[in-house]
Amino acid sequence: MRLYLLALNPTASVTEGFLPAAARLGLDVTVLTDQAGAHRRAYAELPSAPEVVACEVRDFREVVGLLSQRAPQDPDFAVFSNSDHLQTQTALAAAYFGLPAKDWRATLRAKNKGELRRHLAAAGLDTVRSAELAPGQDPSELASLLRAADVPFPAVIKPREGVASEDVSLVAGIEELVRRAEEVQDHRPGAALVVEEFLDGRLCTLETLGDGHRRHVLGGFRTRLSPPPDFIEEALVFVPAHPLAVVAQVLAQLDAIGVGLGACHTEFVVQPDGRARIVEVNYRAIGDQCDLMLAAVLDLPLFELVLDAHLGRELPADLGERCAATPLRARNEAVRADRAGTLTAAPGPHDERADERADGVRLVHRPQRAIGERHEHYRTNRDYLSVIWAVGPDQAAADAAVAGFVAANRWEITP
């Protein structure tokens, strides 16, 4: 059976997670991408490199056309993507051929942050006051738009279809908001922007996986963010089970959106009164090495299970219970650049098994930027120099292992 995997840029989730999982499942893999050269380079050292085919994957019509041409040679196939930007295209292409597919309406609601807010409000589940600035619309109109929608300050401005907290900022007043909108429009021409009320509270995530019949909760994370005005994820701590009342609120909102088949990474805040309010829904697996860490802390073939769902296979009925019962704990932490410049010193890749350490912790370090690379200061997760994660017998051991690695190494940025 052939798996068509849609992708933009190469990611660790695909290279270290889904491709090895596909090989273990005996699948032949073809990567469809608009960055074919980058993918061929990324897979050059793999034991079994996938086929890479150039395709305008942002256009579902091009994907359908290419798959239709290839169907006579590979009539038994599945279509999948872990890209935040390609879920709707993948859903439409899979549905066209009658294959297991996410509901394209759900993928669109998740990706389009303005539509997400409108849909949840119409469902009577949560009303987040928000306004939308259309592509090319003058930011000077924001004052009247916010008055009409009763959006208070402080407020959050973000690209409507953005990802990874890029160009997401907390603003205190209208002058700052207009200035920030102009800055975003300068380097994101044609992007629509959403301005919404700031949802204060403890930031958490819920990780789910469904097979089209049953949706399982895999656990979640508590997230530490950088100081405002940015929203950069600095560290995530694994939580096997959030409070039942909180989970029920989040799942009700996912039901309204239509989230079912496949992996979903949902970010939400828990307010002091116990109210859970969704920040955003990423209808794919969590990234930045957290998916690899999640597979380790749950001691499950997570990537195979995600692919199984898209192959039409039923997941174990007790999957959620098994995840909640894991005795292990985990921490994922990033080292970030604090200024523009060239990375001149940093540790290399590192992976220690639990049986190699006295504390019983598996410790992994993955560089995110090569020595000698020069970058601007992005104020997003593109500033990550390294990601370190640990899985151990208790939270204190995992935390200490990460802190010890950071203390024992150095990262230098030369202006």
Side-chain angles (χ1 to χ4, degrees):
M1 186 176 187
R2 183 163 296 276
L3 175 69
Y4 288 101
L5 191 154
L6 277 63
L8 297 177
N9 55 296
T11 64
S13 297
V14 170
T15 306
E16 299 182 45
F18 288 109
L19 290 181
R24 290 190 291 268
L25 291 172
L27 302 173
D28 296 316
V29 180
T30 296
V31 175
L32 304 183
T33 178
D34 59 359
Q35 301 179 40
H39 281 267
R40 293 189 180 108
R41 290 189 294 273
Y43 309 144
E45 303 300 321
L46 294 183
S48 180
E51 178 187 28
V52 177
V53 174
C55 178
E56 292 299 325
V57 285
R58 293 181 186 268
D59 187 340
F60 76 93
R61 297 165 298 183
E62 293 299 316
V63 176
V64 168
L66 190 149
L67 295 179
S68 180
Q69 293 175 43
R70 295 174 64 100
Q73 290 77 40
D74 284 303
D76 188 21
F77 65 93
V79 185
F80 168 75
S81 178
N82 195 54
S83 169
D84 198 72
H85 302 281
L86 300 178
Q87 293 302 317
T88 300
Q89 296 89 330
T90 303
L92 288 167
Y96 180 87
F97 293 100
L99 303 171
K102 296 175 180 176
D103 185 336
W104 69 268
R105 295 166 297 186
T107 62
L108 188 148
R109 290 168 190 148
K111 182 61 179 169
N112 183 314
K113 294 173 176 62
E115 182 61 22
L116 174 71
R117 295 306 186 202
R118 289 188 290 271
H119 189 79
L120 289 176
L125 290 171
D126 192 20
T127 298
V128 176
R129 290 169 289 179
S130 63
E132 197 167 311
L133 191 70
Q137 188 173 3
D138 194 327
S140 65
E141 299 181 39
L142 279 168
S144 59
L145 290 172
L146 265 61
R147 282 195 299 270
D150 193 28
V151 179
F153 287 102
V156 177
I157 180 173
K158 61 180 72 173
R160 190 182 64 193
E161 281 92 12
V163 66
S165 298
E166 292 195 15
D167 290 318
V168 181
S169 297
L170 184 69
V171 292
I174 189 64
E175 294 83 5
E176 184 183 3
L177 173 62
V178 170
R179 183 171 64 253
R180 185 67 183 126
E182 291 171 343
E183 292 171 355
V184 176
Q185 286 183 336
D186 281 345
H187 65 268
R188 282 183 184 255
L193 304 178
V194 169
V195 182
E196 62 185 34
E197 63 176 293
F198 173 57
L199 300 178
D200 198 9
R202 173 182 285 180
L203 182 61
C204 302
T205 86
L206 190 72
E207 312 305 322
T208 58
L209 176 60
D211 57 15
H213 306 288
R214 183 186 291 108
R215 184 181 53 210
H216 304 272
V217 174
L218 307 181
F221 296 91
R222 287 194 298 269
T223 305
R224 187 187 78 206
L225 291 175
S226 62
D230 304 316
F231 294 86
I232 307 167
E233 294 178 351
E234 295 184 333
L236 293 93
V237 173
F238 174 69
V239 179
H242 291 300
L244 291 177
V246 168
V247 173
Q249 293 177 67
V250 177
L251 293 180
Q253 293 178 72
L254 294 181
D255 284 339
I257 296 165
V259 170
L261 179 71
C264 187
H265 163 57
T266 304
E267 299 179 10
F268 64 97
V269 297
V270 181
Q271 299 186 318
D273 61 358
R275 185 181 180 189
R277 310 189 74 184
I278 285 180
V279 174
E280 65 179 35
V281 177
N282 301 282
Y283 203 172
R284 40 82 179 163
I286 188 172
D288 291 323
Q289 294 281 317
C290 276
D291 45 1
L292 296 156
M293 184 178 76
L294 188 61
V297 74
L298 297 177
D299 193 23
L300 285 172
L302 179 61
F303 296 94
E304 287 93 326
L305 291 172
V306 174
L307 293 179
D308 278 340
H310 289 267
L311 298 174
R313 299 170 183 172
E314 192 169 333
L315 298 173
D318 64 345
L319 180 59
E321 290 79 3
R322 290 163 58 186
C323 293
T326 179
L328 301 174
R329 296 297 180 264
R331 180 183 189 86
N332 176 298
E333 188 162 329
V335 175
R336 297 188 293 118
D338 59 1
R339 59 191 181 277
T342 301
L343 181 64
T344 52
H350 180 86
D351 195 337
E352 282 184 282
R353 300 193 313 269
D355 59 7
E356 296 175 327
R357 294 173 55 97
D359 56 7
V361 173
R362 182 182 176 193
L363 180 65
V364 176
H365 166 248
R366 290 290 180 266
Q368 302 299 294
R369 188 180 295 183
I371 292 178
E373 284 187 11
R374 190 191 188 285
H375 288 264
E376 298 303 315
H377 189 213
Y378 302 109
R379 295 167 50 197
T380 73
N381 68 359
R382 286 196 288 162
D383 291 322
Y384 287 179
L385 303 177
S386 291
V387 171
I388 306 104
W389 58 266
V391 173
D394 56 61
Q395 195 61 56
D399 293 347
V402 172
F405 185 88
V406 173
N409 289 278
R410 64 187 180 93
W411 291 259
E412 292 184 2
I413 297 287
T414 302

